[in-house]
Amino acid sequence: MQHTPRLCIDGRTALELPQTGVIAQELIDQLVAANGEEEASEWIQKHRTVLLSHPGQVFSGQLRRYETKRKIGNSPLYWMWEKEFVKTAGISFFHRFRAIDQINVACSVSTLTTVLPPEKKLPFFITRRPNQYFAVPSHKDLELLHNRYQIAKERIFIAQPSVRRFVHFQELKAADKETVLFLVGDKENTLNLKKLAGVVKTRFPKLQPKIVSVRPQEELSPQTWIALLSNAKLCFYLCSKPFEWGTLALESLFYRIPTVFPEENQSLNELLPQTSLSLARFLINQSDMGSLKQETERVVEQLKNKGLYEPLATAATYRELYRQIMPSNCN
């Protein structure tokens, strides 16, 4: 007897990887918010979606849950656990969010993996089973998966990054002090931070530097994030690993804060080619604040025209991916 088709979304990264896991949290919350809207997924509308989560995690809506204290990992023991979970949970489609060095397990059901930056380094191998699909933020990341890991291009989808829905309902507060915000990732992103901070201090002496790590242990909740942006007059988003989504940079720009990023950030570089907000051009051009603000207005219009500032953009993107991968499973 065939069971009712069910989609399982693994939301554990929203707790385990706050900076990149915001995508998992946002997708679940937006799918619930979109119920009845054009952006909604049939899996939500037909009550065929369940969540895999840690106990105590908070998501919108009252979706059925499988709760576990098991943390995501890349050990054989974890892979065995995930295979057994998929086998026994009665699901027909598994959507998970994984750092690229934590996805080497091949599930028995069709699986969409939203690929996140590596926790340590790029792996040597990724599973190539034909029922495994991948979502990445840029064409360069697609080519990396294809060329380095021999993943067929027809099983890789580009899901352009967007902002969290809450920014549409949250205004910035009055600034306590005017800062230049440096968002940094791992050590390779911070090697030249002192030199860059010196350049910025010379050019904008009235702005106080504020350095914030976006590594997993940092908590970038909406409240904390809005407080940081309320003081920021200039932002440097210095995260550039492969499969880096740039959500926080897009949100900073959403509030029209000039946001400078390295060209190595493939998703932002593809979304905003030839912008003077790239780090190299910022250093070469020595732009003043007026020029930076003018460029910010221009790129914000670009991002709006691409649909990345729509309140339910993430839900709309994954609704289409679900339809492409599983066109006949939700009947």
Side-chain angles (χ1 to χ4, degrees):
M1 182 176 178
Q2 188 174 15
H3 67 78
T4 301
R6 290 196 182 279
L7 159 68
C8 179
I9 302 176
D10 188 348
R12 289 174 295 165
T13 54
L15 181 65
E16 296 181 24
L17 303 173
Q19 185 248 333
T20 51
V22 296
I23 306 170
Q25 178 83 41
E26 190 62 19
L27 172 63
I28 295 165
D29 290 345
Q30 282 194 24
L31 286 175
V32 171
N35 197 12
E37 302 290 336
E38 182 181 349
E39 292 83 359
S41 168
E42 292 181 6
W43 297 90
I44 292 286
Q45 291 174 319
K46 294 186 178 181
H47 307 288
R48 295 179 180 174
T49 302
V50 296
L51 301 183
L52 177 59
S53 66
H54 289 306
Q57 277 190 273
V58 178
F59 296 99
S60 297
Q62 299 296 321
L63 299 178
R64 179 184 171 188
R65 294 198 191 197
Y66 298 105
E67 292 193 336
T68 179
K69 293 182 179 179
R70 174 82 63 175
K71 289 187 176 182
I72 298 166
N74 57 1
S75 68
L77 185 63
Y78 176 79
W79 300 342
M80 291 174 61
W81 179 89
E82 186 167 296
K83 283 186 177 181
E84 185 64 20
F85 164 76
V86 170
K87 180 180 178 180
T88 60
I91 61 176
S92 47
F93 182 25
F94 189 33
H95 182 189
R96 58 190 185 175
F97 299 77
R98 295 286 184 273
I100 189 171
D101 49 352
Q102 292 184 339
I103 62 177
N104 269 331
V105 60
C107 299
S108 58
V109 299
S110 293
T111 302
L112 171 64
T113 301
T114 295
V115 185
L116 305 176
E119 284 293 280
K120 294 182 180 179
K121 60 182 180 180
L122 292 174
F124 291 107
F125 172 80
I126 291 179
T127 181
R128 296 193 294 270
R129 286 182 59 167
N131 63 337
Q132 309 295 298
Y133 301 88
F134 303 87
V136 298
S138 73
H139 288 86
K140 285 290 183 69
D141 292 316
L142 184 154
E143 293 294 337
L144 191 157
L145 271 188
H146 174 65
N147 294 327
R148 183 164 181 157
Y149 301 107
Q150 291 77 56
I151 306 295
K153 287 188 176 182
E154 58 267 23
R155 294 196 285 117
I156 310 171
F157 299 87
I158 295 175
Q160 288 186 324
S162 55
V163 298
R164 288 175 284 181
R165 185 168 170 262
F166 82 88
V167 301
H168 294 273
F169 309 101
Q170 179 66 63
E171 296 182 357
L172 297 184
K173 302 173 183 178
D176 296 324
K177 55 186 176 181
E178 295 188 343
T179 67
V180 52
L181 180 61
F182 295 91
L183 298 171
V184 299
D186 293 323
K187 291 181 180 179
E188 63 266 25
N189 302 120
T190 60
L191 290 176
N192 295 319
L193 178 59
K194 186 175 180 179
K195 183 177 180 180
L196 174 61
V199 171
V200 175
K201 184 66 175 177
T202 300
R203 202 176 299 179
F204 305 102
K206 294 183 179 180
L207 298 182
Q208 298 183 33
K210 177 70 174 179
I211 300 173
V212 175
S213 172
V214 295
R215 292 167 65 181
Q217 64 265 33
E218 291 295 322
E219 178 61 43
L220 287 172
S221 67
Q223 294 78 12
T224 303
W225 183 226
I226 289 298
L228 288 170
L229 293 183
S230 294
N231 289 329
K233 301 301 177 184
L234 178 61
C235 178
F236 287 83
Y237 187 77
L238 303 177
C239 304
S240 57
K241 283 185 175 182
F243 309 102
E244 162 60 49
W245 290 72
T247 301
L248 299 178
L250 294 179
E251 290 179 355
S252 177
L253 288 166
F254 177 88
Y255 287 108
R256 290 174 165 76
I257 300 169
T259 302
V260 179
F261 59 90
E263 291 80 354
E264 293 81 8
N265 188 304
Q266 300 296 350
S267 60
L268 294 175
N269 196 40
E270 286 187 13
L271 289 174
L272 301 170
Q274 306 301 317
T275 177
S276 56
L277 293 178
S278 71
L279 182 57
R281 294 184 67 179
F282 169 83
L283 294 172
I284 293 170
N285 296 344
Q286 300 187 22
S287 304
D288 58 22
M289 186 61 74
S291 300
L292 291 172
K293 288 182 177 180
Q294 185 176 9
E295 177 65 1
T296 299
E297 292 292 336
R298 188 184 73 82
V299 301
V300 166
E301 288 304 310
Q302 279 188 293
L303 295 170
K304 282 184 177 179
N305 293 336
K306 294 176 185 288
L308 304 185
Y309 284 157
E310 292 296 321
L312 296 172
T314 302
T317 295
Y318 280 97
R319 174 204 62 193
E320 293 305 319
L321 291 190
Y322 294 161
R323 286 182 178 177
Q324 291 182 61
I325 297 170
M326 302 289 287
S328 61
N329 237 28
C330 189
N331 296 317

